[in-house]
Amino acid sequence: MKLKHTALIGAAVAGLLATGYAAAQEQFIGLPSYRVGPFGANGASLYGGWIDYMAMINARDGGINGVKLTWEECETEYNNARGVECYERLKTKGATGNTVFQPLSTGITYSVLEKVAQDKIPMVTIGYGRTDAADGRVFPWVFPMISTYWTQASAIINYLGTREGGIDKLKGKKIGLLYHDSAYGKESHAILDKLAAKHGFTVEKIAVANPGNEQQAQWLQIRQMKPDYVILWGWGVMNPTALRTAAKTGYSREKIVGVWWSGSEEDTIPAGDAAKGYTAAGFNVAGTNYPVVQEIQKHVYAKNAGNMADKDRVGSVLYNRGVVHGIITVEAIRKAQEKYGKGKPVTGEQVRWGFENLDIDNARLTQLGAAGFMPDLKITCADHEGAGKVKFQQWDGTKWKVVTDWIQGDQSVVRPMIEESAAAYAKEKGITPRDCSKEN
C-alpha cells in the first residue's frame, strides 16, 4: 500500500511538473479586441485574421521554435476606459506576462502610453496611434509600424498629385477633409496643414461626431464648398454612411479618397452602388491568392478551426490586415528568441528588442508567402515606423482592385514633424532621448 501510495504521489508530481513545463513553453499574447458595438464588424475581421495566423503557426510549425502561441481576448468595445481595464487584466497573464499590447484604437493607445513603459510591455500600433511615437529615441516602447497617419496623409497627397499630372498641379485646389471627431481623426490636421502650405492647396476640415451615422449636414456643406477632392478619414459606420450620403448629394465617389481605416469591404458593401469608383489607401491588400492566406486555409479552415464564422470574409482587407498583425508579432518573437534563446518564451522587454530589430525584407516576405501582400520594413532604434509605403485600391462594385504600386510619403516633411513633436513631448515629460549609437 505504501509503495502504491508513493507511486501515486510520484505520478501526480510528475503530472504537475509536466503541466508546468507545458505552460512555461507557451507565449501569451493578450488581445484587447472589439467584436460588439458600432465597430464590431471591423474588429471581428481584424482579430479573426490575427488569430487565424497564430493558429496556423501552431498547427503547421508547432509554434515558434517549439513555443506554442496562446492568447486571450478582452472586449473593449473600442472604448478607452475598457481598453485600460483590458490592459491591466492582461498584462500579468502567461509565463512571462503579456508579450505585446496592440489595442487597434488610437484613443486606447493614448490612454496607456505611459503605462507600457512603466510595465515594460511593447505597444505596437500598426497604422494608427500617436504618430510622433515613430521617433524611437523618445518612445522606445511604442511602435507605430509600417506607416503612420502623417505618412499616409502625405502619400494620399502624392497620389492625388499623380491623378492631376504632377504634385505641382495641386496648387490652387481645394481638398475637403471629412474626419472622425476623435484623437484618431485629428491626427490628420497638422500634416495636411503643412502639406497645403508647401503645395499651395487649401484644406477644409469637417468633423463627424462618433459613430457617424448621420452626415446630411456635412455633405450639404461639402456640396456648397465644391472641393476638388474629399479625403475620408473615417471608421466603422461612418464610412458607408459617407458614401451613401455623398451619392445622395451628387458628389462623385471617384473624387473621394479614403484612409486605410475607410477602405475595407465593411465600408463598401453596406454602401451598395454608392461605393463604386471609390478609392482608399492601404498598407495591405485584399485577396486569397497570397500563399500566406492559402496556408491559413489549408492548416486552419480545412480542419474547421478558423476564427471567422463567415468564411467569405477570409481574404478581405481587414482580415488580411489582421494577418499582417500576426506576421509582425510572430516575427518579433522569433527575432527575440534569436538573441535571448530559442525554445522558451520571451518577456515583453525581450520582445521589445525583437520589434526594434525587425528587418522583413522582400526575400523574407516571399518566405512568409506575403510578397506584395504588405510592404517590406526595417525598424531601428530611431525609426519605429520602418516602411512608410501605401498602396491604393479602387472598389469596382464587387471587389477591391489595386490601382497603384507602393507610394511613399514625403519624409522630408513628415520626419522633421515627428522629431519636433517627439522632442516637445520629451521636454514636457522630462524624458532624455536615447542615444541610438549606444543601442545594440
Side-chain angles (χ1 to χ4, degrees), residues 73 87 104 114 118 138 144 151 155 160 165 173 186 190 243 256 283 344 375 402 413-415 421 433:
E73 294 188 64
Y87 172 82
L104 282 162
E114 295 181 14
Q118 295 166 1
V138 176
T151 295
L160 293 179
K173 298 291 184 183
K186 293 171 185 175
L243 296 173
I256 305 174
F283 56 81
K344 61 181 182 181
V402 177
V413 175
V414 174
R415 185 64 193 187
S421 181

Side-chain angles (χ1 to χ4, degrees), residues 27-65:
Q27 189 75 49
F28 178 79
I29 299 166
L31 300 176
S33 60
Y34 43 90
R35 295 177 181 267
V36 300
F39 310 111
N42 304 64
S45 293
L46 284 161
Y47 286 95
W50 186 356
I51 289 170
D52 282 346
Y53 183 80
M54 293 190 293
M56 184 271 287
I57 292 296
N58 281 345
R60 186 191 67 185
D61 303 341
I64 306 171
N65 297 311

Side-chain angles (χ1 to χ4, degrees), residues 216-244:
Q216 194 66 31
Q218 286 88 346
W219 282 97
L220 286 174
Q221 185 179 347
I222 288 170
R223 187 170 71 177
Q224 295 167 355
M225 185 172 50
K226 297 180 180 178
D228 296 283
Y229 297 100
V230 169
I231 296 173
L232 175 57
W233 205 287
W235 181 228
V237 296
M238 173 179 166
N239 297 322
T241 301
L243 296 173
R244 288 193 299 264

Side-chain angles (χ1 to χ4, degrees), residues 5 45 67 102 116 164 191 196 212 253 259 301 314 328 343 369:
H5 183 65
S45 293
V67 179
Q102 301 191 50
V116 295
E164 288 292 323
I191 182 62
R253 268 72 69 220
V259 296
Y301 282 89
V314 173
I328 287 177

Side-chain angles (χ1 to χ4, degrees), residues 147-215:
S147 186
T148 65
Y149 285 142
W150 292 355
T151 295
Q152 175 185 217
S154 175
I156 289 173
I157 297 303
N158 288 344
Y159 168 65
L160 293 179
T162 65
R163 286 179 54 168
E164 288 292 323
I167 196 76
D168 59 305
K169 301 296 193 299
L170 290 179
K171 186 175 182 179
K173 298 291 184 183
K174 186 184 295 183
I175 297 175
L177 172 66
L178 189 71
Y179 69 95
H180 190 273
D181 195 8
S182 63
Y184 151 61
K186 293 171 185 175
E187 280 283 322
S188 59
H189 293 188
I191 182 62
L192 286 174
D193 287 342
K194 183 78 73 172
L195 292 168
K198 179 178 180 178
H199 298 298
F201 60 85
T202 58
V203 180
E204 298 287 343
K205 306 180 185 76
I206 303 171
V208 176
N210 183 57
N213 50 7
E214 176 50 58
Q215 298 177 38

